[in-house]
Amino acid sequence: MAVNTQQAKQPPACTHQDSPSSSPAVPNEIYKHHGPLEPAMPKNSKVVKRELDDDVVESVKDLLSNEDSCDDSFKKSELMVNDDIDKDRDLEDGSDIEDERPAWNSKLQYILAQVGFSVGLGNVWRFPYLCQKNGGGAYLVPYLILLLVIGIPLFFLELSVGQRIRRGSIGVWNYISPKMGGIGFASCIVCLFVALYYNVIIGWSLFYFSQSFQHPLPWDQCPLAKNATNTFVEPECEKSSATTYYWYREALNISNSITEGGGLNWKMTLCLLAAWILVCLAMIKGIQSSGKVMYFSSLFPYVVLTCFLVRALLLNGSVDGIRHMFTPKLEIMLEPKVWREAATQVFFALGLGFGGVIAFSSYNKRDNNCHFDAVLVSLINFFTSVLATLVVFAVLGFKANIMNESCITQNTGKIVKLLELGNVSRDIIPHHINFTRITAMDYQLVYDIIKKVKEEEFDQLGLSACQIEDELNKSVQGTGLAFIAFTEAMTHFPAAPFWSVMFFLMLVNLGLGSMFGTIEGITTPIVDTFKVRKEYLTVGCCLMAFCIGLLFVQRSGNYFVTMFDDYSATLPLLVIVILENVTIAWIYGIDKFMDDLRDMLGFTPYKYYYYMWKYVSPLLLSILLIASVVQMGFTPPGYYAWIAEKASEERLSYPPWGLAVCISLIIFALLPVPLVFIVRYFNLIDESSGSLASVSYKRGRIIKEISNPEEDDASLIHDKIQSEMPSPNIGNSIYRKQSGSPTLKVDTAPNGRYGIGYLMADMPDMPESDL
């Protein structure tokens, strides 16, 4: 929010007259007046609570100007507030920050926002792949165990700190431990990296959505090419498939390698622009606008998944897919790789470390039961993944049956030809076999007989087994699942365009729900810290991200999406969450944190969380980090490139500049953590000159240090707790329309107005902040 720099009107000269309307200056009471001065109304016999008037908003400077401004001793005095009173006032429903900070319209809106953020595209195209790859139904066992050990405790931790401190990620970690304030900045950088390429995926979904309103679907058949003499099927499509060709050539128009830029893909550029416009319009008013969109974007995917499940179960072969998915392979469950991938999926499925969880919970009331929210959202996320897996395998089972029937038809023709040429004797073929209408069981019988009789020369016959299991074992994930495998299956649906429209609209909504939380993880900390108007920041952020995002919509853009997905978030987020956990459990103190939770929730959380936060979670996350680094070291950085001449994918290594970009993404994301620590540990920045002030968080309070009290007559309140500090959105608030508020000249701190800059004060005798 912009700072009002107009000069405040000077109060009239003070006269010390005894009259019924005059009131002595009381150091521990601040009055707000509107017309006649009204008496203060005591509350809970501890703190005086003034009446609120929506039409009047005054800064701390203006409030202090109502005191006896002729008293020089008052000008230089500090208003000290008792710790107990601070704590009570901090939790009051009527405190300033409760009134000024925007809040969710209902608990349902908040839950839908958290569900929309945590349930994303990964639930649809990553979890089913991991389930198929890592033992089917057996994979659910390590996933559930790690959800209880890592997922829910860490999710609860982020919800708690956001709700208690009511700030974004930057403000939260500066408040808890200023030396570890870089955690919040690192979260914002990772959110920006992810938002850059995540919205490109939404753009791809918008393109397919727009192309679904036609029959037949444009990816149903291979296109025809013409030359001077005849018409023929496009060779690149004939070597692959119709949906594969449409994805790589028609949609992406992809180049052969990352070094071949190839210019912008104008279709995807327009779709990316549309995606950023949608995000900007939904987020421009913060949760007041995005909260309403959540009712549709969070609930619509469940409607579509349910419809797809019912429709898929009525298709031939769907049961085969579901049976394949839930058939446990217990021997695979004991492999360390399965547990590592399950832990990674739990970690990213809940959106830990991004700052979106903290930002959303910061708009809650302080007495909200965030423990219930953490368990509820985590379980909804898990059951959504299972529901999506059921849908995916039911549809893939239907597709496998179609592909199997096509395989049987082709190989039956080969067998008939072999019989006609005499390469295979008719005497070995059972008499009941009818090659014109052969079943899968009969074909398997004939195949086994020929393989046994012609054992030595069988490989030369070119026959395939044509088993459904082989088709289902083809692991497909990510864009390959959504834009190729699933898209191909839908071409065989009755009323295929309708299901295609529903599917890609669902992907758009899943993506938008995650994007809302990601953008909130960027804007909320910046608004809280630097006091900019949220509308301007949101528009500027979206415009900047679109311009940078043009990198991803050139012909080689898909390779950059892969690069950012592999390196910009995985390791940085693991490090961020480990630091969050260690900061709470070992720097701030797990015992103090449990006491804060008891004061906030009204009950003491289970001792289970105490041990998880202090010992188990940091240990497991550290092991996961080491395993990820080792796995990354053994796997040379590379990407899968589409080679047009071969009509297939081929793994290529990044060029030297590509390796430099990969390493730079990791370093740049984590750089704020050591940088902020060094700056604050050694006090490298001195911002105490002039009328500016340095601010630190100590014992849960903001401490304003005025270097020149003679110039700053109306100094800010000393030792004022954060909940009583003026809201980041005071004055010309975008959330509350005030009229008649005075125009003030406000001295701003270097990192934001009203002392929400975060620099350590030199007070070694005081421990770092309590919540």
Side-chain angles (χ1 to χ4, degrees), residues 31-72:
Y31 297 103
K32 177 184 288 186
H33 63 83
H34 186 257
L37 188 65
E38 300 193 10
M41 302 299 293
K43 181 176 180 180
N44 296 335
S45 69
K46 277 189 175 183
V47 63
V48 177
K49 184 174 184 296
R50 64 178 182 270
E51 291 189 0
L52 297 175
D53 190 326
D54 289 336
D55 294 328
V56 178
V57 175
E58 297 177 350
S59 68
V60 175
K61 186 172 181 178
D62 189 42
L63 290 174
L64 289 173
S65 68
N66 292 331
E67 299 288 351
D68 191 352
S69 57
C70 293
D71 190 349
D72 292 335

Side-chain angles (χ1 to χ4, degrees), residues 84-378:
D84 295 333
I85 297 178
D86 279 352
K87 187 175 181 181
D88 294 339
R89 181 63 178 274
D90 187 46
L91 298 175
E92 280 187 354
D93 292 338
S95 63
D96 291 344
I97 195 168
E98 296 282 357
D99 291 335
E100 295 295 342
R101 191 169 182 82
W104 298 102
N105 292 334
S106 65
K107 182 66 174 284
L108 175 62
Q109 191 180 82
Y110 164 68
I111 294 296
L112 290 178
Q114 291 286 15
V115 169
F117 176 53
S118 64
V119 175
L121 297 173
N123 296 76
V124 174
W125 67 32
R126 177 71 178 168
F127 187 88
Y129 161 76
L130 292 175
C131 221
Q132 176 190 20
K133 176 185 174 184
N134 296 318
Y139 173 75
L140 300 179
V141 176
Y143 186 87
L144 269 176
I145 292 175
L146 292 169
L147 181 66
L148 294 174
V149 173
I150 294 179
I152 294 179
L154 295 178
F155 194 60
F156 180 30
L157 183 145
E158 290 201 354
L159 290 179
S160 301
V161 296
Q163 180 175 308
R164 180 66 180 87
I165 302 174
R166 294 177 62 78
R167 287 290 182 267
S169 57
I170 295 177
V172 160
W173 299 110
N174 273 295
Y175 185 70
I176 293 173
S177 175
K179 292 188 185 71
M180 302 302 294
I183 297 175
F185 291 97
S187 293
C188 287
I189 293 175
V190 172
C191 280
L192 177 61
F193 286 161
V194 172
L196 289 175
Y197 74 86
Y198 203 86
N199 223 25
V200 175
I201 302 175
I202 299 178
W204 294 343
S205 303
L206 285 173
F207 174 76
Y208 269 79
F209 172 74
S210 66
Q211 298 299 308
S212 298
F213 293 92
Q214 48 187 309
H215 185 75
L217 292 169
W219 49 83
D220 187 29
Q221 295 180 349
C222 285
L224 299 176
K226 295 181 180 180
N227 57 18
T229 58
N230 58 0
T231 301
F232 55 93
V233 177
E234 183 68 44
E236 187 179 356
C237 183
E238 190 175 19
K239 293 177 184 178
S240 53
S241 67
T243 51
T244 304
Y245 173 83
Y246 190 87
W247 165 243
Y248 284 115
R249 189 54 52 213
E250 297 294 335
L252 298 181
N253 193 20
I254 200 166
S255 60
N256 283 348
S257 71
I258 196 172
T259 57
E260 302 175 20
L264 290 178
N265 181 342
W266 67 268
K267 292 180 291 186
M268 288 306 171
T269 302
L270 293 177
C271 291
L272 178 63
L273 177 62
W276 276 115
I277 289 175
L278 286 176
V279 172
C280 184
L281 292 177
M283 296 297 299
I284 197 165
K285 289 288 186 181
I287 63 170
Q288 289 192 336
S289 54
S290 65
K292 297 179 176 63
V293 181
M294 291 293 181
Y295 287 108
F296 180 78
S297 64
S298 297
L299 294 176
F300 180 75
Y302 291 95
V303 175
V304 176
L305 286 174
T306 304
C307 293
F308 260 100
L309 180 61
V310 173
R311 184 67 188 90
L313 290 175
L314 300 177
L315 297 173
N316 183 35
S318 61
V319 177
D320 295 330
I322 294 176
R323 186 188 302 116
H324 175 80
M325 177 255 172
F326 280 109
T327 301
K329 303 178 182 65
L330 298 178
E331 66 280 2
I332 299 180
M333 192 179 70
L334 301 178
E335 297 180 5
K337 181 185 68 172
V338 175
W339 290 82
R340 179 179 62 81
E341 293 188 343
T344 305
Q345 179 63 18
V346 168
F347 183 83
F348 290 108
L350 294 174
L352 300 174
F354 282 97
V357 173
I358 293 177
F360 280 151
S361 64
S362 71
Y363 299 114
N364 269 332
K365 294 181 179 179
R366 279 200 177 85
D367 58 354
N368 174 63
N369 189 349
C370 55
H371 175 255
F372 172 81
D373 300 340
V375 176
L376 177 63
V377 173
S378 300

Side-chain angles (χ1 to χ4, degrees), residues 182-194 353 564 567-576 579 661-675:
I183 297 175
F185 291 97
S187 293
C188 287
I189 293 175
V190 172
C191 280
L192 177 61
F193 286 161
V194 172
F564 271 67
Y567 295 98
S568 70
T570 307
L571 287 182
L573 282 177
L574 275 172
V575 174
I576 288 171
L579 292 176
V661 172
C662 294
I663 297 173
S664 299
L665 289 174
I666 298 174
I667 294 176
F668 191 70
L670 294 176
L671 187 61
V673 177
L675 192 62

